[in-house]
Amino acid sequence: SASKAGGTAVPLNIVIVLDATQSMNTPDAGCAVPGVSNPTREQCALYGVQEVLGIMVPPQDQIGLVAFPGYSSALTTPCTRTKPGPVTPYFTPGISYTVASLNTNYNNGSGVLNTGSNLVKAVGSAPSTAPCFMAQGGEGSFLAEAITAAQATFPHINGTQDVMILLSDGQASTSYTQM
């Protein structure tokens, strides 16, 4: 906000970490999503991501999306996972959390979301297009490994600020046997 009022903007690398565990499929009476009656926690989180994508400034700001639990291989597009999907247990070698890599094609520069962007395809653009990414469940919430994976996606370039946004219902439910 300050930079939009005349200050100098610092380019941002933003990685959004999305909880895609089964508990995110629970209805959330505390939020409203255009075109959705009785939205789930996940729909509320995805709508929040859409709002962030609309106010960020490409090509200055890069944004990517990771989700947990992880999967056995990286996605070629965010819509290649089907529900319930091939969820992989935490600490599995080669596990992938990336849904959309850091990119700048999420909006047209004036806040209109680019529906051709893999990131926008994943989270949708309410009320016109539904997200193709869904909470998969299969494992409990284990934030540490997902956060570590998100940190690894930052390019750490001088003059840019790395930002992580964690969207979760806060139910850290991974049991010791799942790790």
Side-chain angles (χ1 to χ4, degrees):
S1 295
S3 66
K4 289 183 180 184
T8 303
V10 175
L12 301 174
N13 296 312
I14 301 170
V15 176
I16 298 168
V17 180
L18 179 64
D19 182 343
T21 60
Q22 189 61 40
S23 64
M24 293 294 284
N25 286 322
T26 304
D28 186 344
C31 98
V33 176
V36 178
S37 58
N38 302 315
T40 64
R41 293 171 178 170
E42 179 190 38
Q43 289 169 318
C44 296
L46 292 174
Y47 181 62
V49 174
Q50 294 167 18
E51 291 292 299
V52 167
L53 296 179
I55 63 170
M56 300 314 297
V57 182
Q60 176 177 300
D61 302 323
Q62 295 190 89
I63 303 176
L65 178 67
V66 302
F68 63 92
Y71 296 83
S72 59
S73 61
L75 297 175
T76 53
T77 66
C79 302
T80 57
R81 291 188 182 143
T82 57
K83 193 173 183 173
V87 174
T88 301
Y90 295 109
F91 297 109
T92 300
I95 193 170
S96 177
Y97 295 94
T98 302
V99 175
S101 299
L102 284 171
N103 69 79
T104 60
N105 70 343
Y106 48 87
N107 84 39
N108 68 358
S110 62
V112 177
L113 299 188
N114 172 10
T115 57
S117 161
N118 281 342
L119 179 55
V120 175
K121 287 178 186 176
V123 302
S125 58
S128 59
T129 60
C132 66
F133 189 78
M134 296 182 208
Q136 302 294 307
E139 293 284 311
S141 298
F142 179 59
L143 303 175
E145 191 167 329
I147 289 171
T148 299
Q151 287 174 326
T153 67
F154 288 124
H156 303 295
I157 298 170
N158 286 338
T160 63
Q161 183 174 356
D162 296 335
V163 177
M164 188 180 307
I165 299 171
L166 174 63
L167 297 173
S168 174
D169 58 13
Q171 293 185 9
S173 59
T174 301
S175 68
Y176 176 75
T177 59
Q178 289 176 297
M179 292 190 277

